[in-house]
Amino acid sequence: MSAETPTGAPPEAISGSARTRNLVLATLASVVGFLAWTVIAPLSGTYTAQLELAPSATAALVAMPVLVGSIGRIVVGVLTDRYGGRIMFTAVLLVSVPPILLVALGGTIGSYPVLIAAGFLLGIAGTVFAVGIPFVSAWYEPERRGFATGVFGAGMGGTALSAFSIPRLVDLIGYLATHLLIAVLLVATAGVVWLFMQESPARAAAPSTGVRAKLVGAAKLGVTWRMCFLYAVVFGGFVSFSTYLPTYLRDIYEFDLTAAGTRTAGFALAAVLARPVGGILADKLGAKPVVIISLGAVAVLAWVVNLKPAGEVPAGLTFLAMAAALGLGAGGVFAWVGVLSPPEKVGAVAGIVSAAGGLGGYFPPLVMGATYNAEDNSYFIGLMLLSVTALVALTFTIFAVKSRPRQVRAQPG
């Protein structure tokens, strides 16, 4: 099935079945992209032991895909405005296959430089998010875009799938076979997207201007930079926890690889479930109160995590609450992006904002690895930095980001 030609039809005139089908396909592509993007983190303990890595070296390895995926989202968002989601989803999924194979090679021969190079290229998979925001936004009217971007954002559940399944698959079928299976999954998903995905008839095709001009235009919008900061905190917090949590749980609670992966999957799942809720609440109540609640909870919970709550239930509930707070905030922030951005610039704005979110997730693992106190078995500095950053973002949201009435929020631009 080929992509529909944009006709300029209003989103409310589009059939519900077409909306649902394309939202599901976009979310599926996101799940698989996030699964591939985070394939290194669940096996960080294995790489650390196999290659005798220092904490800082492990942190650099885990964070490398996050860095490249974040920066790449800027360009991919602009290209999505121009070429549409069907082409870009397919391209991102297919181009992610060689890096997965390179990860397989690096782990098989036990080479840290090869794994670092693979992690660098694997960042391509993380750009899938910048494709989906403009794609699903075009299918829905402004007052429902919080719901649409929230559901699509639940595709970050690929991180939960990665954390839960990869250690088990390695035990079951082996390291190399696991990565070959992921490569096949990427190709199969790309095929499904190409055959069955359609562009929204309401999609505002961007003029054929250069990437630089598009980025400059998006960068001139105040909403871009306000949302960049907030998304760097909430989504960056999610990414950093999802990637570094297996290492944290090993160091603090002495969990083995599979146990740490299971708990990390639970963390990611809680954030995934909370994200659509954040988008829906933003549609109904406005994004500002949703983000305020999220940031306040993150600030408090970072302090509680630092106290190292003992016992499975207290510790587990603390991390689940943190995940829910971060997911709620991520859904709230991108509800703002989908509504306030000019239709023809949603991809460019989403690319820049999602890049900021990814970069927000790049640095914390490095900080955690560099500030880990082996004597006290403590991550105090890293967790306190998260708490302080959340408080700063909370203050910024309250005093520097103006809330808009519903009827004004519904107008793009």
Side-chain angles (χ1 to χ4, degrees), residues 6-413:
T7 63
E12 56 270 20
I14 299 171
S15 75
S17 61
R19 282 179 175 172
T20 301
R21 182 179 69 253
N22 283 280
L23 180 57
V24 168
L25 287 171
T27 305
L28 170 65
S30 180
V31 169
V32 175
F34 269 84
L35 168 65
W37 190 36
T38 55
V39 75
I40 290 176
L43 299 178
S44 59
T46 299
Y47 297 131
T48 299
Q50 177 188 10
L51 304 175
E52 300 180 348
L53 302 178
S56 58
T58 301
L61 177 61
V62 167
M64 184 58 70
V66 178
L67 173 64
V68 180
S70 304
I71 297 173
R73 288 177 179 187
I74 299 173
V75 175
V76 168
V78 174
L79 293 175
T80 302
D81 279 338
R82 183 167 181 180
Y83 297 109
R86 176 174 174 258
I87 289 175
M88 292 305 299
F89 271 128
T90 304
V92 167
L93 291 170
L94 291 178
V95 175
S96 300
V97 172
I100 289 290
L101 300 179
L102 195 58
V103 172
L105 174 64
T108 300
I109 66 176
S111 170
Y112 184 73
V114 171
L115 283 171
I116 283 288
F120 179 89
L121 296 174
L122 195 59
I124 294 168
T127 65
V128 71
F129 189 81
V131 180
I133 294 298
F135 176 80
V136 302
S137 292
W139 279 100
Y140 287 82
E141 57 270 26
E143 60 271 19
R144 294 197 67 204
R145 285 177 187 162
F147 161 78
T149 57
V151 171
F152 169 73
M156 66 188 188
T159 60
L161 184 60
S162 174
F164 181 82
S165 65
I166 288 176
R168 287 171 170 76
L169 284 171
V170 169
D171 288 341
L172 184 65
I173 64 176
Y175 179 85
L176 179 60
T178 295
H179 289 80
L180 292 177
L181 179 62
I182 295 169
V184 170
L185 181 60
L186 284 164
V187 173
T189 306
V192 169
V193 165
W194 183 256
L195 290 173
F196 300 107
M197 183 174 276
Q198 296 172 295
E199 298 296 338
S200 168
R203 182 172 82 90
S208 56
T209 53
V211 171
R212 181 178 178 276
K214 290 289 296 179
L215 291 177
V216 169
K220 290 180 178 179
L221 300 174
V223 65
T224 302
W225 299 107
R226 291 194 294 272
M227 297 303 106
C228 274
F229 175 54
L230 297 179
Y231 201 61
V233 177
V234 291
F235 185 73
F238 165 75
V239 171
S240 57
F241 265 102
S242 297
T243 55
Y244 202 75
L245 196 54
T247 302
Y248 182 92
L249 294 175
R250 182 199 67 201
D251 292 341
I252 302 300
Y253 293 100
E254 299 181 347
F255 285 122
D256 62 25
L257 191 65
T258 301
T262 300
R263 286 157 179 79
T264 302
F267 175 92
L269 182 61
V272 165
L273 294 176
R275 182 159 185 156
V277 174
I280 293 168
L281 289 176
D283 284 342
K284 296 182 179 298
L285 307 175
K288 186 168 185 172
V290 174
V291 176
I292 287 173
I293 292 171
S294 164
L295 293 170
V298 170
V300 172
L301 289 166
W303 172 259
V304 176
V305 170
N306 171 67
L307 298 178
K308 303 177 189 176
E312 186 78 18
V313 173
L317 290 177
T318 300
F319 282 107
L320 288 177
M322 173 68 82
L326 292 168
L328 195 74
V333 170
F334 252 101
W336 263 340
V337 173
V339 170
L340 299 181
S341 304
E344 74 281 1
K345 294 182 180 178
V346 172
V349 174
I352 295 173
V353 174
S354 59
L359 288 174
Y362 172 72
F363 294 104
L366 299 180
V367 172
M368 295 287 275
T371 61
Y372 172 62
N373 187 327
E375 267 186 40
D376 298 330
N377 192 29
S378 170
Y379 283 98
F380 173 80
I381 295 177
L383 290 169
M384 288 306 94
L385 285 173
L386 172 60
S387 183
V388 170
T389 302
L391 287 173
V392 171
L394 175 62
T395 304
F396 176 80
T397 303
I398 293 172
F399 295 106
V401 184
K402 293 183 179 180
S403 184
R404 295 189 178 191
R406 181 181 179 86
Q407 65 268 26
V408 177
R409 286 177 63 249
Q411 300 300 319

